[in-house]
């Protein structure tokens, strides 16, 4: 039987097991929306802005094992989706974004709501397609899902001309897909894996650095087993948080620009570094030459060969699926009786503990002003460390990463690569739909939340009872912090004037709003928000926080990992010199 | 250092712009680019002449391989290879210049493929250096127009780039 292209698309999505589509209708996708109306296998979530559709689909994917799907119309619908697509691309999130296109005869005619979507998104997708022939529609959708979720995952855009959705064709969905030019590597090179294990066993100061690749590659169990088996310290990147349990003793905290003192010092001073699904980016190691100034052997496992030797050359590069490669390393280790030199490892731990004892995340508590760190810590306690936490971008994001100890992968969802403000709320909605029984919290700020605040309406419509914690310091905090440190306290356009009454906004959308101004009220407010009473409701908490608080430690531009700007209490300790006498351990 | 990359890619709409877009987005250089279909109409063969440090060339190769439509990439510099480029050059050929130009074309094993009373159009094939040398050898003022294809390359001997 011949069915329309729109029906073929819907059937294809059903074949892929799609549960939710996040989207917004428009002229070029009317046929598709009609086909969606006439089916009931998957649900459509109507967002209030296309950017939010893509973020929600993205977080739906990040917080599950599924591929997120977004659907937007041509022209402005498509361009609005671009920020979301670039966000997913930078963080390697598997996603299929379907965009409408003007009918094939109108392409290139500057038709109403025409934009070259394939051209615009080319640099920020794993791959994209323009479907101009209905006979190719089903196989293209199959390929799109396959490409999105295999190898290094990423977003795939399928741009479909309107006449294709109207044309008729037989539906047959391919069982498998073979693309001769695309053959992702799974297994690592056995010789390299052996070499890596040998290096780790001979290390005096070994360190394991785990990135988002371990989260996306479902390798958290293998990472954890390896770290414990070797008894070595471990750090996660912003994207890797949860890959190794955040509350474990062997975890030194996040590393990088706002990493803990111990995580960064260990990174700089280790002698053998195992990088797992991480890419040595500028926010992690800062300047490569300084990082490599302290000699170390580097083992680098990544599914994407282009991530290896991009910023830092590896001594033992291993291209492969991190889960597979780690499993093979574990097998070799289990079969061997050799373990790292206990004496050297004890000395290394002693040094690491000395760094940790400096308590780089300590902050001066206050009875008068709400400390943003305290809000995150209280959230951690009240939710028992179990919430799925999304964030926006800025100071609050860093505090969330520093103070909420993520024990599980896919529990922490944030825009790490692109740094997209406005990600948090739609992401929370997507995560809640993927995990209906989970507690979902969105840590945001008064700047970021206003970039997609309209999604409070979507949350109402789909009954996603996420809890929004806005750390409202009346500043674009991270911008203000940089202006304080590097621009002579000239706070150019970073003050958020004319802020709305967020309680009223929340209430206007049909939610619960709370304004919290005293430190003593923080815990009761969070407890109330997460209480049974509010189980089914979205609660918006507007915390009036300390305006002058900064994120520490901080690796300034052009500085090395061991040249952090330290919080005031550490500066008073005057421990700078003490760090340098580390040489006797080598 | 100058490198010649040979790329086998799917002969599909948009494949070329992905390759070109990659070079501009990541700040790599394209000195020349040639592309056309192969004996298998589903495949295109592209030759890109680029330059950069070993690290940059390694990244370019990896990034090219990452493109879904790219089937294979080889750096021809890694072993012996042959490169050829064709140039069509239109030169003024009047009076005694006419004889001189004919002689010059012969020396460079060029062929005169179009003749008017005042001009010759010469077809010249060789390495890019040789074509450059021809341009240097003739008086600049007689060159009316130059069209170069960019280099095409192939491995020497039995080394082949195929699926």
């Amino acid at each position: 039987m011949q069915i329309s292209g729109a029906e073929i698309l819907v059937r294809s999505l059903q074949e892929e097991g799609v549960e939710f589509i996040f989207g917004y209708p428009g002229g070029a996708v009317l046929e598709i929306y009609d086909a969606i109306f006439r089916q009931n296998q998957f649900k459509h979530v109507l967002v209030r802005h296309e950017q939010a559709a893509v973020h929600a689909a993205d977080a739906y994917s990040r917080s599950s094992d599924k591929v997120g799907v977004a659907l937007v119309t041509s022209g402005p619908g498509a361009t609005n989706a671009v920020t979301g697509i670039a966000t997913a691309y930078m963080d390697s999130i598997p996603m299929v974004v379907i965009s409408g296109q003007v009918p094939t005869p109108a392409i290139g005619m500057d038709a109403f709501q025409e934009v070259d979507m394939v051209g615009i998104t080319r640099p920020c997708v794993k791959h994209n397609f323009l479907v101009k022939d209905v006979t190719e529609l089903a196989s293209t959708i199959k390929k799109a899902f396959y490409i999105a979720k295999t190898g290094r995952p990423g977003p795939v855009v399928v741009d479909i001309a309107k006449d294709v959705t109207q044309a008729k064709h037989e539906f047959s969905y391919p069982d498998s897909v073979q693309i001769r030019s695309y053959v992702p590597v799974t297994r690592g090179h056995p010789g390299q894996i052996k070499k890596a294990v040998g290096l780790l066993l001979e290390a005096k100061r070994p360190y394991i650095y785990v990135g988002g690749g371990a989260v996306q590659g479902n390798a958290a169990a293998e990472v954890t087993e390896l770290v414990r088996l070797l008894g070595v310290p471990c750090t996660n990147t912003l994207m890797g948080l949860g890959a190794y349990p955040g509350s474990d003793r062997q975890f030194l905290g996040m590393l990088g620009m706002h990493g803990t003192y111990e995580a960064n010092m260990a990174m700089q001073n280790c002698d053998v570094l195992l990088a797992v699904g991480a890419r040595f980016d500028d926010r992690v190691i800062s300047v490569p030459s300084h990082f490599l100034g302290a000699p170390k052997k580097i083992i680098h496992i990544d599914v994407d060969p282009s991530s290896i030797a991009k910023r830092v050359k590896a001594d033992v590069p291993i291209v492969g699926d991190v889960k597979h490669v780690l499993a093979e390393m574990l097998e070799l280790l289990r079969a061997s009786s050799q373990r790292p030199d206990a004496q050297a490892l004890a000395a290394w731990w002693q040094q690491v503990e000395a760094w940790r004892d400096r308590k780089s995340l300590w902050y001066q508590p206050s009875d008068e002003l709400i400390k943003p760190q305290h809000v995150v810590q209280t959230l951690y306690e009240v939710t028992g460390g179990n919430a799925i936490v999304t964030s926006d971008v800025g100071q609050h994001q860093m505090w969330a990463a520093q103070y909420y100890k993520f024990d599980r992968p896919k529990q922490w969802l944030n825009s790490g690569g692109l740094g997209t403000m406005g990600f948090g709320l739609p992401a929370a909605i997507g995560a809640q739909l993927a995990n209906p029984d989970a507690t979902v919290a969105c840590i945001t700020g008064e700047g970021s939340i206003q970039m997609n605040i309209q999604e409070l309406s979507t949350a109402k419509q789909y009954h996603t009872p996420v809890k929004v914690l806005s750390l409202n310091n009346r500043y674009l905090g991270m911008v203000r912090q940089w202006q304080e440190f590097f621009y002579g306290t000239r706070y150019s356009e970073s003050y958020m004037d004319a802020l709305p009454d967020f309680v009223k906004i929340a209430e206007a959308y049909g939610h619960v709003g709370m304004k919290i101004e005293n430190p003593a009220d923080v815990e009761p407010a969070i407890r109330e928000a997460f209480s049974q009473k509010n189980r089914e409701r979205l609660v918006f908490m507007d915390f009036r926080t300390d305006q002058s608080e900064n994120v520490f430690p901080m690796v300034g531009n052009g500085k090395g990992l061991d040249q952090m700007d330290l919080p005031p209490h550490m500066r008073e300790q005057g421990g700078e010199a003490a760090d340098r006498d580390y040489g006797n351990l080598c | 250092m100058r490198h010649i990359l040979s790329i086998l890619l799917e002969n599909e709409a948009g494949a070329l712009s992905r390759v070109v877009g990659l070079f501009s987005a990541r700040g790599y250089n394209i000195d020349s680019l040639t592309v056309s279909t192969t004996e298998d109409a589903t495949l295109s063969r592209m030759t890109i002449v680029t330059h950069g440090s070993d690290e940059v060339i390694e990244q370019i190769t990896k990034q090219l391989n990452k493109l879904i439509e790219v089937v294979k990439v080889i750096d021809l510099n890694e072993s012996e290879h042959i490169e050829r480029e064709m140039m069509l050059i239109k030169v003024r050929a009047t009076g005694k210049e006419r004889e001189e130009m004919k002689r010059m074309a012969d020396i460079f094993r060029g062929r005169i493929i179009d003749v008017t009373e005042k001009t010759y159009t010469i077809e010249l094939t060789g390495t890019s250096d040789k074509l450059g040398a021809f341009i240097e050898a003739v008086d600049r003022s007689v060159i009316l127009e130059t069209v170069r294809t960019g280099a095409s390359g192939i491995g020497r001997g039995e080394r082949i780039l195929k699926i």
Side-chain angles (χ1 to χ4, degrees), chain B residues 68-79:
Chain B
I68 305 291
E69 285 148 341
V70 167
V71 184
K72 269 184 188 171
V73 181
I74 57 164
D75 181 352
L76 287 177
N77 288 42
E78 281 172 3
S79 63

Side-chain angles (χ1 to χ4, degrees), chain B residues 37-66:
Chain B
T37 55
T38 64
E39 78 283 1
D40 174 352
T42 66
L43 285 173
S44 296
R45 170 81 173 243
M46 187 184 281
T47 307
I48 293 183
V49 178
T50 180
H51 61 270
S53 63
D54 290 350
E55 290 77 28
V56 168
I57 300 297
E58 182 185 336
Q59 263 301 310
I60 292 176
T61 309
K62 285 173 167 180
Q63 293 292 348
L64 283 169
N65 268 311
K66 227 168 110 173

Side-chain angles (χ1 to χ4, degrees), chain A residues 26 60 66 72-73 86 169 244 301 318 340 346 353 409 448 472 500 525 527:
Chain A
Y60 174 86
K66 298 170 189 131
V72 298
T73 193
H169 189 61
Y244 186 83
I301 313 172
I318 306 176
E353 292 300 346
S448 286
N472 179 352
R527 288 211 179 276

